[in-house]
Amino acid sequence: MKKSIVILFLALVQAVSAQVQFETKVSKQSLAMNETLRVDFIMNADGDNFSPPSFEGFKVVGGPSQQVSQSWVNGKSSFNKIYSYFLMPTQRGNLTIRQASIEINGQTYKTAPVTVSVSAAVERPRDPGDNSPTSDQSIYLVAEVSKTNPYVNEPITVVYKLYFSYNVGISNWRELDKPRYNDFWSQNIDIKQLVAEEGRYNNEPFRYVILRKTVLYPQKSGKLEIEPLTLDIDVQLPTNRRNIWGQVQVVEDHKRVSAGARTINVKPLPEAGRPDDFSGAVGRFDFKVTPSRTTVKNGESLDVTVSVSGTGNLKLFDIPKPVVPTGLELYDPVHKENVNTPLSGMNGKITDTYTIVPEFKGNYPIKAMRFSYFDLTSKSYKTITSPEFVIRVLDGPGLPQSDVASNGDGAKQPILVPEHFKFIKLNTDLTAIGSRKSFFGSTAFYVLTAIPFLMIPLLVLFKRKKQQRDSDVIGNRVRTSNRLARKYLSDAKRNINDKEQFYIALEKAMHNFLKAKLHIETSEMSKEKIHEILLDRGADAETVRDFIVLTENCDFARYAPASAGAIQHDYGKAISIISELEKQLK
């Protein structure tokens, strides 16, 4: 018995040792955008029809190379075969190397997926003895920052320059990793044409082109990091060989360069001397309050324009709101921005135009308004006060003298009475007690008695309809999505003064609208599929593009500064797009 157990155990050990193994091994679990990853597909038995994965998120820069080894130890043979690839990432995040497959002894084997983490590009040390054509000493990507210790909301500029040697040619370049400006308000400046210029880098002559210009406004104090820009460049590099005419031969190659991360030490605005009404304006401004007219008649209206002009963070603060006395009705303003953003920072003018409608005759003083800002030149706070003016209403309903109060300078100001007294009711509807008819036997009695019996067929019909409705899974899902879309759209309107909650609700409303109209789930919502389905259903291409752009911007807008006017514009844009899709979808 014991001998049989030993033989069975040895047979099991031999069977396990003979199992086919096929696995994926990577050279590192985490790497930067400008680093290379080696991937080995290893098997312990020879096979055919090897099929590598698609390597989504990577670019193959080497391979496949194949290695085969076989050995005999103590009378036992071992076999090892490796397919190797060298990859460079094309995007950041957690990237998955999917399954590879191979046929061994008539059976198909697959590897397990492997996930690696890709971070922003890092600076790699250069070998000073490296004089090869692909040396890092021939191409540099530099991020030039105008100021590394600004105040909060003080503009700084970042200019990305690509330096390259005179003997190096560049035919094309691609952005692999765009810089992220967390905790900054950013504005890119369009560069219409790339022009090569001559300059110096590290005291050596180079040519360079300006690839990108960005204006940044830091939104909080402390150490803020500007993440790097990473490029993949197609280059022509000289070799040591010459053609029959004596000209140096060049080779086509590609190179990955990064500008490196930059740290900005942002100073907080000083607390000393900060006005109570300071709303975050930083720069140099002029402030004006201008009424369209000061004398009106009953039924007429006037406009009061509140404007701020100058140089500074014009899009990042709110304009003061006028306070009007009782008797004038003040409507929500029309916000306009005429702002340019050159490399020096924002300049231009922003205005809020209020419409005022008087209700009673009289003189109405509009108090002086104050606007405070931090002046970067003098490093101090300054306040501009607008002059007070009086609106005179010449005619219209007036109030008794007792209902008119003085404003202190002799002018009379009407005080609204919340509600006027009603006239006393003169006619009555009294009836004699004995003249009332008995309820039993009356028409109302028989009607009320018959109602329960008449309701029975309606209840049966209602129950059948409810059962049909409950069994309609797709219809219930559509109705739920419709209801959620209306709910989140209502939440967005209610939270219009809370930027983050507004954009969360707006994004959910638009997603649930799609689920209701296209009968798809959230897991199926890719940009390409949404675009394809909407066009197939008859939606206009421009409306589809506006829908996708707005949904993509919702997540970004939660962390980027936005004025009340921009939020109101996005809400109106969402309503308009949903209405258009309702009309267009078949």
Side-chain angles (χ1 to χ4, degrees), residues 405-423:
S406 173
N407 62 11
D409 59 356
K412 300 297 183 180
Q413 176 182 350
I415 301 175
L416 287 183
V417 178
E419 185 178 6
H420 297 289
F421 288 106
K422 296 181 179 179
F423 290 104

Side-chain angles (χ1 to χ4, degrees), residues 140-360:
Y140 298 92
L141 180 61
V142 179
E144 296 182 354
V145 180
S146 62
K147 194 171 186 178
T148 57
N149 59 338
Y151 282 103
V152 172
N153 270 315
E154 180 180 0
I156 62 174
T157 59
V158 183
V159 179
Y160 294 91
K161 293 182 179 180
L162 181 64
Y163 289 89
F164 52 97
S165 299
Y166 282 87
N167 60 349
V168 173
I170 296 178
S171 58
N172 191 23
W173 58 275
R174 297 167 295 279
E175 289 188 359
L176 295 178
D177 192 16
K178 294 183 179 181
R180 302 178 185 178
Y181 307 111
N182 298 325
D183 299 316
F184 289 93
W185 183 94
S186 62
Q187 174 71 54
N188 290 327
I189 298 177
D190 293 335
I191 299 178
K192 297 181 180 179
Q193 185 177 3
L194 299 180
V195 179
E197 302 181 33
E198 294 185 352
R200 300 187 69 83
Y201 185 75
N202 289 339
N203 292 324
E204 295 182 5
F206 277 88
R207 291 181 296 167
Y208 72 90
V209 292
I210 297 177
L211 302 180
R212 179 191 287 261
K213 297 178 181 180
T214 305
V215 180
L216 302 178
Y217 284 83
Q219 297 300 292
K220 70 176 186 179
S221 60
K223 293 184 177 180
L224 306 183
E225 185 176 275
I226 300 176
E227 297 186 359
L229 170 66
T230 304
L231 303 178
D232 189 20
I233 306 173
D234 296 332
V235 296
Q236 295 82 41
L237 301 170
T239 64
N240 296 325
R241 295 175 295 176
R242 296 179 179 270
N243 56 24
I244 58 176
W245 294 282
Q247 297 173 334
V248 176
Q249 295 184 348
V250 297
V251 294
E252 299 286 339
D253 200 355
H254 70 90
K255 185 172 183 58
R256 186 166 293 191
V257 293
S258 173
R262 299 296 302 270
T263 300
I264 308 299
N265 188 14
V266 182
K267 298 179 292 187
L269 297 176
E271 292 292 336
R274 176 179 294 189
D276 295 336
D277 58 354
F278 177 70
S279 61
V282 176
R284 192 172 185 85
F285 303 102
D286 187 21
F287 175 66
K288 292 182 179 180
V289 178
T290 308
S292 61
R293 50 182 171 171
T294 57
T295 302
V296 294
K297 296 180 180 180
N298 180 36
E300 296 179 339
S301 64
L302 69 146
D303 293 334
V304 174
T305 301
V306 184
S307 64
V308 177
S309 59
T311 301
N313 58 334
L314 286 163
K315 296 183 178 181
L316 304 178
F317 59 82
D318 293 326
I319 306 176
K321 181 178 180 180
V323 178
V324 300
T326 304
L328 297 180
E329 187 171 359
L330 181 71
Y331 289 85
D332 291 337
V334 176
H335 184 79
K336 291 184 179 180
E337 295 181 354
N338 183 16
V339 180
N340 298 316
T341 309
L343 201 60
S344 58
M346 295 186 213
N347 63 72
K349 183 178 182 180
I350 56 176
T351 59
D352 281 346
T353 302
Y354 295 85
T355 298
I356 297 178
V357 178
E359 298 181 354
F360 296 94

Side-chain angles (χ1 to χ4, degrees), residues 61-82:
V61 296
S65 61
Q66 182 177 327
Q67 303 176 32
V68 179
S69 63
Q70 192 168 6
S71 62
W72 286 265
V73 178
N74 296 329
K76 295 184 178 180
S77 66
S78 63
F79 179 85
N80 199 28
K81 187 175 182 179
I82 302 174

